[in-house]
Amino acid sequence: MIGYRLAALVLAAQACAQTPFPRATGPVGPHAVGRPQWRVPTLAELPGFLNWKVGGAASAFTGLTFAEAIVRVDKSELAFIEGSDQQWVSPEIRKNLDYRLTPAETNIVKDRLRKFGLKMPAYQVENFGDEAASRKLFEFARSLGVETIVCDNVPRSLADIDQLANEFGVNVAVAAGSSLEGRSRRIGLRVESPEAVARFNDRVMVVRMRDPHSFQKALLEMYRLHVKPVFFSLRGAGGYDNAADLTRAVDSFEQAVLPELGDYMIRRSKTLAIRGPEELAADVKQKIAAAIPTSAAKAARPRRLLILDERMVHAPIPHANYALELMGKSTGAFEAVFSNDLENLQYDKVRQFDAVMFNSTEADVSADPAVREGLLRFVREGGGVGGIHAASWSFAFWPEFMEMFGASQGPHRVQPVTMKIDDLASPITAAFEGQPITYTDEYYRMTDSGPQGTYYSRDKAHVLLSVDLAKTPDFNEGRVPFQRKDNDYAVAWIKGYGKGRVFYTCLGHTPEMFFDAKMNRFLLAAVQFILGDLAADTTPSSEIGRN
């Protein structure tokens, strides 16, 4: 989707290597899970990449108030909204969103934005008015966290507006074609066409888009020239269903910039060192070493397991890496190869491995087309792939992989859970000796609604472990989106894919997992399964019934 000169790009990647990816910061909203979450925020706001902001224009929802438009923008999983002084605040406050609101009414607007986790960096106005009105406008905008006031009508005295912009620290974007001669960098342009973006890119502040895909070349140029910050106002094509229109516009924007993201992510990955045992205290390493299995199924030939962590922020990542390294060494079952270089997933390179393990790699690893094609073909032709915990968040742009993986993003929280063993006969679950497991971790609930609700199903996956709701009655608390209609909360499963093998578990959020000998035996068995040395039944669970 979102797609500087090479030196600038490399420097940005190096800086980003020390900065974790942002996740959308809004709370879990009251609506059902909709389109994939945090894709646009990951793209546009990625530190060192674009730092662009993408939002929906509230005024595009004809006939709705600003409060009602917030709900529609939130459902599109955007983090930003563009306000307008020509729109009523709410059905209860039938006043325009402008400086004439009382402090109490302004606070209601702030609370509404806060409730849905949205910010309003851009605010559209008809005009500035006289000096007193202009000052009140800037005060109002700053109180709402507005970064850029967008005015279609060029003020009579742009010099005076420039002075206020610098005084209040709020930018002003005027219509393309306006003369900015002598104006500070606080004054920029609002553009609506790819041609205007290309012509004025170094002064562009706001881009209005109805068909983002038509801007692809212009976006690439902005990316190459390191143009930022920029606010993109998505408005849809003006169809009957404005909410659906906005969702289509968001998808189109992502598709337009994805090639640039792929290029960036490859370069970034080469700068990311694996999180290794040097992060662990001596006593922690001793606990892990004491819980590592010393025997394994016989390997048919020397095996190589590629492990990636994309240097994400989950605390147990180095614990898992160290445990996997020790498992390979203590049993001789495989060689653990650690590298975050995404080019290793391209087909000609990934073939040198027997399986790939994603260790809580919640950063996107799938933006590059060659990575997508190579990894999918590798598994389809007989390779293995596994994922620990946040790995299910790594493929937000790649439905084909989520379908193969059987997993996607999902609501989650840390809590004690009793798990049942769904396949008592599987060699992967043998470590638990048929006994239920009570364990505290961050459990994902794979949603059964919206576009993300199609990936996990017992019709597709062979479930190994799942939540025993009879023994964990407060697991979902009956709350959307934590509750599935079928009350099926799988914790670990395997799948066949072509000639290849797939394993995933949401476990791995807490370090204690790797101090537990049974958990490590379970993980080793799963690794040997994806490597091809441990045969296990992958028949979808719905075809063999539940235990």
Side-chain angles (χ1 to χ4, degrees):
M1 297 184 162
I2 303 182
Y4 9 152
R5 299 181 176 97
L6 179 59
L9 180 61
V10 172
L11 287 172
Q14 292 171 341
C16 186
Q18 304 303 320
T19 309
F21 276 35
R23 185 177 293 187
T25 55
V28 175
H31 56 278
V33 176
R35 67 188 305 283
Q37 297 176 3
W38 70 284
R39 295 204 308 190
V40 161
T42 298
L43 282 167
E45 301 154 49
L46 184 65
F49 179 43
L50 293 178
N51 290 352
W52 295 345
K53 295 181 179 178
V54 184
S59 61
F61 293 92
T62 307
L64 296 185
T65 65
F66 181 69
E68 293 166 325
I70 283 176
V71 178
R72 272 62 172 189
V73 172
D74 175 61
K75 285 186 176 180
S76 294
E77 302 295 352
L78 292 171
F80 302 103
I81 189 169
E82 178 186 14
S84 168
D85 70 350
Q86 299 300 299
Q87 190 173 32
W88 279 356
V89 171
S90 69
E92 297 76 27
I93 303 176
R94 299 190 174 193
K95 297 166 66 174
N96 285 2
L97 181 66
D98 63 23
Y99 65 83
R100 297 175 182 86
L101 296 177
T102 67
E105 291 166 341
T106 301
N107 284 334
I108 289 174
V109 173
K110 293 179 182 177
D111 289 342
R112 183 72 169 177
L113 288 167
R114 191 179 301 113
K115 176 182 178 180
F116 286 86
L118 292 176
K119 294 182 179 180
M120 189 174 74
Y123 173 55
Q124 181 184 357
V125 300
E126 285 291 296
N127 54 63
F128 282 89
D130 59 23
E131 182 180 352
S134 294
R135 178 167 291 276
K136 291 178 181 178
L137 169 57
F138 273 95
E139 290 174 345
F140 176 72
R142 186 171 66 178
S143 74
L144 288 173
V146 171
E147 297 172 1
T148 304
I149 297 172
V150 187
C151 187
D152 291 340
N153 299 309
V154 180
R156 286 191 297 271
S157 177
L158 196 55
D160 292 341
I161 297 301
D162 193 357
Q163 184 175 345
L164 287 170
N166 281 278
E167 178 183 342
F168 285 90
V170 176
N171 299 325
V172 173
V174 297
S178 305
S179 174
L180 302 184
E181 185 177 355
R183 302 283 67 86
S184 76
R185 301 300 292 188
R186 283 285 178 189
I187 308 297
L189 298 175
R190 183 271 301 156
V191 300
E192 297 188 0
S193 70
E195 293 76 20
V197 171
R199 181 180 176 187
F200 303 112
N201 55 51
D202 64 330
R203 295 305 295 262
V204 171
M205 286 183 175
V206 174
V207 182
R208 288 182 182 166
M209 292 182 165
R210 294 190 184 277
D211 176 21
H213 193 72
S214 67
F215 283 77
Q216 187 166 29
K217 291 183 179 179
L219 293 172
L220 175 59
E221 187 65 14
M222 294 176 73
Y223 164 70
R224 287 176 173 169
L225 294 176
H226 203 175
V227 174
K228 58 184 177 183
V230 175
F231 179 78
F232 291 92
S233 176
L234 303 184
R235 294 170 175 261
Y240 176 76
D241 187 342
N242 287 325
D245 251 9
L246 179 60
T247 296
R248 284 191 289 268
V250 174
D251 287 333
S252 180
F253 182 82
E254 292 171 345
Q255 291 298 327
V257 297
L258 187 56
E260 284 69 59
L261 181 66
D263 173 75
Y264 173 82
M265 294 300 289
I266 290 288
R267 295 180 184 277
R268 172 188 177 274
S269 72
K270 295 178 181 297
T271 72
L272 301 181
I274 288 287
R275 296 182 62 190
E278 67 279 358
E279 295 188 29
L280 305 176
D283 64 322
V284 171
K285 290 191 285 188
Q286 288 174 358
K287 288 181 182 179
I288 295 173
I292 295 297
T294 56
S295 62
K298 184 177 180 180
R301 61 174 186 269
R303 300 292 192 182
R304 304 183 79 216
L305 176 69
L306 174 63
I307 302 165
L308 302 87
D309 64 24
E310 287 299 295
R311 202 159 183 84
M312 294 311 296
V313 296
H314 273 80
I317 286 176
H319 300 71
N321 284 339
Y322 189 52
L324 290 167
E325 180 183 2
L326 293 183
M327 287 177 194
K329 290 180 177 178
S330 67
T331 65
F334 61 91
E335 175 192 0
V337 180
F338 295 92
S339 174
N340 282 317
D341 186 348
L342 293 178
E343 284 192 345
N344 282 325
L345 301 180
Q346 295 174 359
Y347 185 70
D348 286 345
K349 292 188 176 182
V350 75
R351 293 167 60 195
Q352 66 184 296
F353 303 101
D354 297 283
V356 178
M357 179 66 78
F358 294 97
N359 180 13
S360 277
T361 49
E362 63 185 293
D364 176 72
V365 300
S366 63
D368 181 71
V371 166
R372 294 199 300 272
E373 178 185 352
L375 185 55
L376 209 63
R377 180 180 174 187
F378 167 70
V379 181
R380 189 170 57 243
E381 294 184 357
V385 64
I388 298 172
H389 195 53
S392 65
W393 290 73
S394 305
F395 310 98
F397 306 104
W398 193 8
E400 293 85 358
F401 189 91
M402 289 186 286
E403 180 69 30
M404 176 183 71
F405 216 45
S408 62
Q409 56 190 303
H412 50 274
R413 66 167 178 259
V414 177
Q415 65 187 114
V417 160
T418 297
M419 293 176 275
K420 60 186 178 69
I421 302 172
D422 285 71
D423 185 353
L424 293 167
S426 176
I428 302 177
T429 61
F432 303 116
E433 301 173 342
Q435 299 302 308
I437 311 112
T438 300
Y439 186 72
T440 297
D441 208 302
E442 185 177 63
Y443 293 88
Y444 287 0
R445 286 87 168 155
M446 295 304 162
T447 181
D448 58 359
S449 61
Q452 302 294 291
T454 62
Y455 301 123
Y456 166 74
S457 167
R458 287 183 181 250
D459 293 336
K460 303 175 182 180
H462 185 96
V463 178
L464 301 171
L465 305 174
S466 64
V467 175
D468 188 335
L469 290 179
K471 296 180 179 179
T472 318
D474 63 341
F475 182 74
N476 57 39
E477 296 183 321
R479 295 192 295 119
V480 174
F482 283 87
Q483 187 178 45
R484 287 178 60 95
K485 301 182 193 70
D486 58 8
N487 283 325
D488 178 21
Y489 302 98
V491 175
W493 61 82
I494 55 176
K495 294 181 66 177
Y497 182 77
K499 297 178 181 179
R501 300 156 305 282
V502 179
F503 163 77
Y504 172 72
T505 181
C506 69
L507 299 174
H509 182 79
T510 57
E512 287 75 16
M513 175 177 176
F514 307 100
F515 306 156
D516 186 322
K518 290 183 179 180
M519 284 291 182
N520 283 331
R521 285 173 55 200
F522 167 71
L523 183 58
L524 173 60
V527 167
Q528 289 209 275
F529 165 73
I530 61 174
L531 287 171
D533 288 323
L534 188 66
D537 184 9
T538 58
T539 304
S541 292
S542 64
E543 296 182 17
I544 56 179
R546 301 185 186 182
N547 291 316

